[in-house]
Amino acid sequence: MPRTELSQLGEFGLIERIKSKTTHRNPNTLKGIGDDAAVITTSGDFYQLVSTDMLVENIHFDLSFHPLQHLGYKSVAVNVSDIAAMNGIAEQITVSLAISNRFSVEAIDALYQGIFAACEDYSVDLVGGDTTSSTSGLIISITVIGRAKPAQIAYRNGAKKGDILCVTGDLGAAYIGLQILQREKVEFLANPNMQPQLEGKAYTVGRQLKPKARTDIVHELAELQVKPTSMIDISDGLASEVIHLATQSQVGATLFEDKLPIDKETYDIAINDFKLIPSVCAMNGGEDYELLFTIDQKDYEKIKTHDEISFIGYMTEDKEINLVSSGGQKVPITAQGWNHF
Ligand code: ADP
Ligand code: MG
């Protein structure tokens, strides 16, 4: 691969390069990159949703196994996921980067290739950002702007007793993917001639490196006329997110271990390679970016056969948050989320 130094382009050259590759897909994006601020029209029928996420090298990602293209995709997907978790539609993002001269123009191009691929998949417009130098690692900070009709917004605090707890897709895969990548890294450092053993692990590794935001579910719930009573995306692990929904809604929750959706590859690798209990990976793993939401019982009929939605429990009047194990034992759910400090 040829290497072009960032200094050859300079900050403005880099911004111009990014701008030239940008496409706008949303009619409310009036002005994107190139002025002091982006200009977005608003409509009285909608509320605006804004969220931001920062990803720091060696805290949130490890470039020794995370290809820049996937990292770009993931940085956008996790932001879009936050808007989806409000039952909204993401439309614009800004991307701010702190980059060291360790990175070449080609490396930044790879990062943006992933960013643009995600913009296409989720139909969002890159409308601005900031570029600065860093003396050490790479920092990516993305802000996403979206919208939703006021009555459609799903807050964390709307769950009622008797509501059914639903989760999309499957859980624990991204955590297992990370365990595999970290193990391969350790083996590679010990013996650089080793080829990574990733056969039969594509799903879990892919879920870690290139997660998807469940914007599809937001659209489908709207079509089925199901408005979640509360919703959150699973970034820190199911346990931690259930606690958020229950405590903010001032109700309790009961979950059933044997209802947790776990993919077969995740299940097998957890047990065979890491001697981990698959349901523990699902509860505490994190980075799945699936949606956890509650619905009123009257809406159950409308989605009960949806093959991407699992019904894992219900909300209760008391404030207890419990997991009922496969053996029928009640275990209190506790979670810290990720603690980087
Ligand atoms: P200012 O000095 O006003 O902050 P900049 O020179 O930083 O302006 O940015 C010029 C334009 O380029 C702005 O529209 C800004 O949003 C955009 N921009 C800067 N960095 C990036 C980036 N990394 N990705 C996308 N757009 C960017
Ligand atoms: Mg700037």
Side-chain angles (χ1 to χ4, degrees):
M1 258 268 271
R3 181 185 166 96
T4 315
E5 297 302 328
L6 279 170
S7 56
Q8 273 174 259
L9 272 185
E11 183 189 337
F12 297 131
L14 179 65
I15 293 171
E16 208 34 62
R17 191 181 179 88
I18 294 165
K19 184 184 171 186
S20 71
K21 294 179 186 169
T22 304
T23 319
H24 289 171
R25 299 180 176 82
N26 294 292
N28 63 345
T29 306
L30 297 188
K31 178 84 191 184
I33 297 172
D35 214 308
D36 294 308
V39 182
I40 300 163
T41 59
T42 52
S43 144
D45 294 344
F46 291 87
Y47 280 171
Q48 269 197 325
L49 308 170
V50 180
S51 178
T52 190
D53 257 309
M54 183 162 4
L55 297 177
V56 178
E57 185 176 352
N58 295 329
I59 306 282
H60 302 98
F61 58 88
D62 182 336
L63 285 176
S64 62
F65 55 67
H66 212 144
L68 280 164
Q69 212 169 320
H70 288 353
L71 182 63
Y73 191 98
K74 179 172 179 171
S75 321
V76 177
V78 304
N79 275 278
V80 169
S81 177
D82 280 321
I83 300 294
M86 300 300 288
N87 207 28
I89 307 296
E91 293 185 318
Q92 289 88 17
I93 54 164
T94 62
V95 175
S96 297
L97 300 176
I99 350 171
S100 73
N101 56 14
R102 182 160 64 88
F103 293 92
S104 62
V105 171
E106 288 76 14
I108 300 303
D109 279 349
L111 180 75
Y112 270 89
Q113 236 178 354
I115 290 174
F116 287 131
C119 284
E120 190 176 344
D121 281 2
Y122 303 117
S123 198
V124 299
D125 301 336
L126 173 65
V127 297
D130 201 21
T131 311
T132 177
S133 52
S134 152
T135 50
S136 53
L138 173 66
I139 299 174
I140 307 169
S141 173
I142 297 192
T143 296
V144 61
I145 301 164
R147 61 176 175 159
K149 291 237 173 81
Q152 290 308 314
I153 298 177
Y155 295 93
R156 292 180 179 183
N157 68 1
K160 302 275 176 290
K161 72 164 175 171
D163 285 358
I164 300 168
L165 252 178
C166 312
V167 70
T168 61
D170 60 75
L171 301 175
Y175 176 75
I176 290 298
L178 181 62
Q179 300 313 303
I180 295 165
L181 289 163
Q182 286 175 338
R183 179 182 67 188
E184 294 307 315
K185 181 183 174 181
V186 169
E187 297 202 354
F188 178 80
L189 291 175
N191 178 5
N193 296 320
M194 281 274 295
Q195 285 298 310
Q197 300 291 308
L198 298 178
E199 216 185 288
K201 302 186 164 62
Y203 180 68
T204 43
V205 167
R207 293 271 294 184
Q208 167 59 221
L209 295 180
K210 202 186 172 195
K212 293 236 144 61
R214 297 311 304 255
T215 51
D216 55 333
I217 298 291
V218 173
H219 286 111
E220 284 168 28
L221 290 177
E223 274 164 32
L224 295 165
Q225 301 194 324
V226 175
K227 150 92 198 287
T229 52
S230 69
M231 185 147 66
I232 190 169
D233 68 332
I234 303 182
S235 51
D236 293 342
L238 178 61
S240 152
E241 317 304 2
V242 168
I243 292 172
H244 283 308
L245 289 189
T247 45
Q248 293 203 27
S249 301
Q250 298 186 292
V251 290
T254 300
L255 275 72
F256 297 91
E257 184 181 15
D258 58 11
K259 302 269 187 222
L260 301 179
I262 300 171
D263 162 79
K264 186 173 184 318
E265 181 183 308
T266 307
Y267 192 95
D268 291 346
I269 299 173
I271 291 180
N272 299 331
D273 289 41
F274 298 105
K275 312 276 176 273
L276 289 169
I277 301 165
S279 59
V280 173
C281 299
M283 291 298 290
N284 298 311
E287 293 202 286
D288 292 309
Y289 297 103
E290 295 294 344
L291 294 173
L292 174 71
F293 59 97
T294 52
I295 56 162
D296 192 290
Q297 287 183 20
K298 73 171 165 37
D299 285 332
Y300 176 64
E301 282 297 315
K302 300 182 198 162
I303 59 170
K304 69 174 184 190
T305 55
H306 197 298
D307 53 10
E308 283 288 307
I309 299 176
S310 301
F311 306 94
I312 60 171
Y314 55 86
M315 310 312 270
T316 57
E317 182 152 33
D318 60 49
K319 303 281 165 65
E320 284 180 30
I321 306 171
N322 290 311
L323 178 73
V324 178
S325 74
S326 305
Q329 241 187 327
K330 249 191 195 181
V331 193
I333 296 174
T334 52
Q336 302 293 324
W338 288 123
N339 192 343
H340 298 298
F341 300 105

